[in-house]
Amino acid sequence: MRKQVKSPAYVLGVGLTRFIKPRGKVDYTELGFEAGIKALLDAQINYDDVEQGIACYCYGDSTCGQRVFYQFGMTQIPVYNVNNNCSTGSTGLHIARNMVSHGVADCVMVVGFEKMFPGSLQSFFKDRTNPTGTTGEMLRATRGVTNAPVAAQMFGNAGREYMEKYGASSTDFAEIARVNHLHSAKNPYSQFRDVYTLEQILSSQMIHDPLTKLQCCPTSDGGASAIVVSEAFLKARPHLRSQAIHIAGQHLATDNVSLFDRSSINLIGFGMTQHAARTALAEAGVDPSKVKVCELHDCFSANEMVTLDALGLCEPGKAHEMVRAGDITYGGRCVVNPSGGLISKGHPLGASGVAQCAELVWQLRGWANNRLVEGANVALQHNLGLGGAAVVTVYKRADGKTNEVVQDQEVKTKTWVGYNPAVEARGFTKEQVDMVRSKSSRSEWALGDTEKKVEARF
């Protein structure tokens, strides 16, 4: 039986780096530091207030998290290193929420970061069983394998099955990518901000039918951070309630037996996404038809199609009709991936789930004034990792209000960042860093030249 959440948890601060091509120019220490400092500034707290730390990454040695967190301070708090494939960032948020809701801590800091390799994802441990090996065997046994990247084959095959069962077309998948690329043009943190026509997307390099290159997310370097706090912590800072976002519902699910029922759609985790969504939405008391803004895991356009269905944002088997009606963008029923999504914003694995959270926090605050989904009082997040883990989160404003546009000048008065971080990807000053790093236990040796490197990029 699912244990009831004991007390509310809120996202009080968020911070984000630009997502960039993985070229080895920026280290994970810098990505984590930049995102973390921004989140602390946004929450208007000092690192001494943080009682637990959660580091989210997939590629890196053990205790990379401590290496990042020690830059903020060496206060001897527990630091947990989390790896849950592409859902790593949201898994970290899930842990933080559980800690706060069950009284383990009043303030938890989550930092997701990833320094990746160019090209498609790959496994590094060739001397042991691959954790997704049974999934790969089912891929081979059902639709066979090609020379395309394995992930593209799996999600592309799910797209083919959706076409066969429900009548979707290759143009529908391309339209999803067109919309996400269009949305990313207004997100200053996006790796790609180019806008494409439907024809350009359809005519780009075929990766695995129906997926062309512009329908596939890139690998990326990037960082994101969130501060999760308790009701007691927020009550002590009543002036921050209007910017606090309530985690009203959340569930982390793993696969059920349908994973191996020979369905390509189920092979990419449809079952766990559906279960996580139903559980989180029920906890929050939200009907999916009332959701106006959603960040979902569009690693490929085919996964967005399938996920619209799994989340209950459309009638079963009708996701392509939702796409054709324009109901995944502004002016439609639900704006999906206003950030540009993984396809265009980028996908640094450990940071992606936390970055989704940041976008929805800015949406509900009203700070994302150049891309705001107006009239939203609830937001939905979906983050997926094959292997498997699906995290679905429902957010509401802590003050219970509906979002309204907040202009940049007003935002500046509400945050220590000094500008509107939802619409400007800027840095910070040495004075700002000094304001939020630990006052009681900081180490310049642990920080090294990271601060100088980060500040130099801005």
Side-chain angles (χ1 to χ4, degrees), residues 174-327:
E175 173 64 8
I176 287 172
R178 186 196 69 79
V179 168
N180 286 336
H181 285 291
L182 179 65
H183 289 175
S184 73
K186 293 187 176 182
N187 182 358
Y189 299 94
S190 287
Q191 184 169 336
F192 300 114
R193 301 181 71 184
D194 296 322
V195 175
Y196 299 95
T197 65
L198 191 62
E199 291 71 24
Q200 286 174 313
I201 290 168
L202 283 166
S203 63
S204 62
Q205 179 188 355
M206 180 60 68
I207 303 300
H208 184 78
D209 195 23
L211 301 175
T212 61
K213 185 176 182 179
L214 290 174
Q215 298 176 57
C216 307
C217 73
T219 49
S220 316
D221 289 351
S225 181
I227 309 295
V228 181
V229 303
S230 68
E231 177 67 32
F233 193 93
L234 190 58
K235 279 185 176 179
R237 299 159 179 82
H239 60 291
L240 297 177
R241 186 166 291 273
S242 65
Q243 77 173 53
I245 302 301
H246 179 210
I247 303 176
Q250 188 176 59
H251 191 71
L252 189 161
T254 53
D255 291 296
N256 60 18
V257 294
S258 71
L259 180 71
F260 299 128
D261 68 359
R262 305 185 73 83
S263 162
S264 295
I265 290 175
N266 289 339
L267 196 62
I268 59 167
F270 182 93
M272 61 179 173
T273 289
Q274 187 178 63
H275 176 67
R278 288 175 174 174
T279 306
L281 287 161
E283 181 189 347
V286 171
D287 187 301
S289 66
K290 305 300 182 183
V291 174
K292 292 185 177 182
V293 59
C294 172
E295 283 281 314
L296 62 77
H297 197 93
D298 63 316
C299 48
F300 300 89
S301 61
N303 197 46
E304 178 165 330
M305 182 78 76
V306 170
T307 301
L308 291 171
D309 200 321
L311 294 177
L313 294 176
C314 64
E315 293 296 319
K318 302 293 186 182
H320 57 296
E321 295 183 10
M322 184 178 181
V323 173
R324 291 173 187 175
D327 281 336

Side-chain angles (χ1 to χ4, degrees), residues 59-134:
Y59 296 110
D61 291 324
S62 183
T63 70
C64 284
Q66 282 87 331
R67 180 67 180 82
V68 167
F69 274 83
Y70 285 178
Q71 298 175 125
F72 309 126
M74 300 183 71
T75 55
Q76 297 192 296
I77 64 169
V79 173
Y80 303 86
N81 293 275
V82 177
N83 179 346
N84 221 11
N85 262 354
C86 299
S87 62
T88 294
S90 284
T91 300
L93 290 170
H94 183 267
I95 295 170
R97 192 238 189 169
N98 276 333
M99 286 178 172
V100 168
S101 294
H102 292 88
V104 175
D106 285 312
C107 181
V108 181
M109 183 174 186
V110 182
V111 182
F113 51 85
E114 209 70 73
K115 181 179 180 180
M116 300 186 71
F117 298 91
S120 58
L121 301 181
Q122 55 185 302
S123 176
F124 291 94
F125 300 101
K126 307 297 185 182
D127 64 338
R128 65 204 70 186
T129 299
N130 189 312
T132 58
T134 48

Side-chain angles (χ1 to χ4, degrees), residues 40 45-50 69 72-73 75 77 109 436 438:
L40 290 165
I45 64 171
N46 184 271
Y47 183 69
D48 289 335
D49 296 315
V50 176
F69 274 83
F72 309 126
T75 55
I77 64 169
M109 183 174 186
V436 295
S438 171

Side-chain angles (χ1 to χ4, degrees), residues 29-30 33 67 71 446-455:
T29 50
E30 301 166 55
F33 182 76
R67 180 67 180 82
Q71 298 175 125
L447 180 60
D449 61 356
T450 297
E451 181 182 347
K452 293 178 180 178
K453 287 181 177 178
V454 171
E455 290 174 359

Side-chain angles (χ1 to χ4, degrees), residues 126 174 268 347 363 385 388 441 445:
K126 307 297 185 182
I268 59 167
H347 186 22
Q363 286 286 339
S441 189
W445 185 268

